[in-house]
Amino acid sequence: MKRIFDAQLFGPLAAMVVVALVVALTTDRFLDSGNLANLAMQVSIVAIIAIGATIVIFAGGIDLSSGSMVALMTMVLATLVKTFGLPLWPALLGILVLGVVLGALNGVLTAWGRIPSFIVTLAGLIAYRGLALMFNAGSPIFSLDPNFEAVFYGRLAGIPLPFFYLVALYGGATVMMVHTRLGREIMAVGGNPAAARLSGINVQLVQTLTFTIAGVMTALGAILMAARLNSGSPNYGQTLELQAIAAAVVGGASLTGGRGNILSTLVGSLTIVIVQNGLNLNAAPSAVQNVILGLIILLAVGVDMWRAEIVRILSRGGGTPVR
C-alpha cells in the first residue's frame, strides 16, 4: 500500500487542490453539482488514454499518435456499424483489436526498427488523421446506434459508468505496475535500458508491450468518445495526445523514464480538466486555453528537469539520489 500511495502522489494532489481552489474562487459555477458531474464525465476519456501514455513514458518512450488514433478508430467503428451493418458489440471488439495492432506497430517500429518513438508516433499522428479523412469523404457519421450512448451516459446505482471504468482501469494498471514482473521491468527499461538488458530483460519486448497497452487504452478512449457523441468523426481527438502526455507529466512521470506513479496520472488528468473547465467557465477563448495548456506542460517538464539536475548534483556531492 505504501508503494501505491507514495510521496510522488501527494505533490500532484496538492497542486490539483490549489488549482481547484483558484477556479472555485474565480467562478461561482465551478462547485455546482451539474458542473462537477460534467467534470467527472469529461475527465474519463483523457484519463483512460493517459494510462497508456504514462506506461509508455515509464519505459522511456513517448506516444504522440493517440489523438489521431481516436479519430481513425471512431471512423472505422462508424463505418462498420452504419455502412457494413455490423452489430455494435462485434464492432467494438474490432476497435479493440485495431488498438492492439496499431499500438504493437508503434512498438515494433520503435523497439526493433530502432526508430525513436517520437518520430514513429509523430508519423502516426499525421498518417492516422489522414486515414480517418479517407472514410465517408472526410465527413462525420452520426447516429450509430440508439443504445450506444448508454456506454458513456449510463449510470449504475446513480453513479455515472465512466467512474467505474476509471476505477477498474486505474486499479488494474496500478496492480500491474506495482505487483507484477512486467511493471518492474517497464520501470527498469525506462530507468536504464542497458542495465535492464544486462540483467536479462527483453527490452524490445517490454517496449512493444507498453505501446500495445497504450493502443488498447486509446481504443477504449475512442469507444467512449464515439459513445458520448454517438458518432464518428475525423476531427475527434485533436490535442488529446498532448492532454494525455500533460496529465502524465503533471502527475509526476519523468519524461526521461523510470519514475512515476500511475495513480498520479489520474490526478494530473483531473488537474488538466479542471484548468480547462475553469477557463471555459470564465469564457476564455480556445486559443488562450491552448497557450495555457502549453505553459502547463512546459512548467511540468521544467520542474522534472530541474529535479533531475538537483539529483545529479547531490549524487556528485555524496548525497543520496532519489528516483
Side-chain angles (χ1 to χ4, degrees):
M1 187 65 70
K2 183 180 177 182
R3 295 170 63 189
I4 296 174
F5 296 99
D6 60 18
Q8 293 178 6
L9 179 60
F10 291 104
L13 198 57
M16 185 193 72
V17 171
V18 170
V19 168
L21 285 174
V22 170
V23 174
L25 290 173
T26 56
T27 172
D28 55 1
R29 290 176 291 168
F30 176 66
L31 295 178
D32 286 354
S33 58
N35 184 60
L36 292 177
N38 178 57
L39 204 65
M41 304 276 281
Q42 189 180 349
V43 76
S44 59
I45 296 174
V46 174
I48 288 172
I49 294 175
I51 293 174
T54 304
I55 290 173
V56 169
I57 288 172
F58 283 165
I62 195 161
D63 186 358
L64 298 174
S65 64
S66 54
S68 296
M69 269 196 206
V70 166
L72 175 60
M73 288 171 177
T74 62
M75 287 304 289
V76 171
L77 174 63
T79 302
L80 289 175
V81 173
K82 295 290 287 187
T83 305
F84 295 101
L86 195 67
L88 182 60
W89 293 107
L92 295 181
L93 181 60
I95 295 305
L96 290 176
V97 172
L98 181 60
V100 171
V101 171
L102 295 182
L105 178 63
N106 280 343
V108 167
L109 290 173
T110 299
W112 275 281
R114 297 183 182 278
I115 305 172
S117 59
F118 176 84
I119 301 299
V120 170
T121 57
L122 179 62
L125 180 149
I126 299 169
Y128 296 145
R129 184 76 62 185
L131 286 171
L133 286 165
M134 293 180 184
F135 287 84
N136 199 37
S139 299
I141 302 174
F142 298 103
S143 304
L144 304 188
D145 188 293
N147 299 316
F148 190 26
E149 293 182 9
V151 172
F152 185 80
Y153 292 104
R155 290 174 179 265
L156 183 62
I159 301 172
L161 286 179
F163 172 80
F164 295 100
Y165 304 152
L166 290 178
V167 170
L169 292 172
Y170 271 89
T174 299
V175 169
M176 185 196 78
M177 290 306 305
V178 176
H179 296 293
T180 70
R181 177 177 175 179
L182 176 60
R184 293 189 290 273
E185 289 183 346
I186 288 172
M187 285 302 195
V189 168
N192 190 328
R197 189 174 288 106
L198 289 173
S199 65
I201 295 175
N202 189 330
V203 173
Q204 284 95 343
L205 178 61
V206 170
Q207 290 174 331
T208 302
L209 287 175
T210 61
F211 280 100
T212 305
I213 293 169
V216 173
M217 293 299 116
T218 301
L220 292 172
I223 289 171
L224 279 187
M225 176 75 79
R228 179 183 179 184
L229 302 166
N230 200 15
S231 61
S233 171
N235 294 318
Y236 289 168
Q238 294 191 23
T239 75
L240 255 181
E241 65 283 340
L242 297 181
Q243 294 178 47
I245 292 170
V249 175
V250 171
S254 172
L255 285 177
T256 56
R259 186 176 64 82
N261 182 317
I262 195 74
L263 281 180
S264 296
T265 295
L266 179 57
V267 177
S269 302
L270 281 166
T271 303
I272 297 293
V273 172
I274 289 172
V275 169
Q276 292 177 323
N277 184 250
L279 292 170
N280 283 329
L281 292 176
N282 285 292
S286 59
V288 173
Q289 297 188 28
N290 288 338
V291 170
I292 292 178
L293 178 62
L295 291 174
I296 289 173
I297 295 174
L298 183 64
L299 179 62
V301 173
V303 169
D304 178 52
M305 294 297 107
W306 298 329
R307 178 188 182 280
E309 185 63 26
I310 291 171
V311 168
R312 276 194 291 272
I313 292 172
L314 287 176
S315 299
R316 290 192 204 106
T320 303
V322 180
R323 282 196 68 84

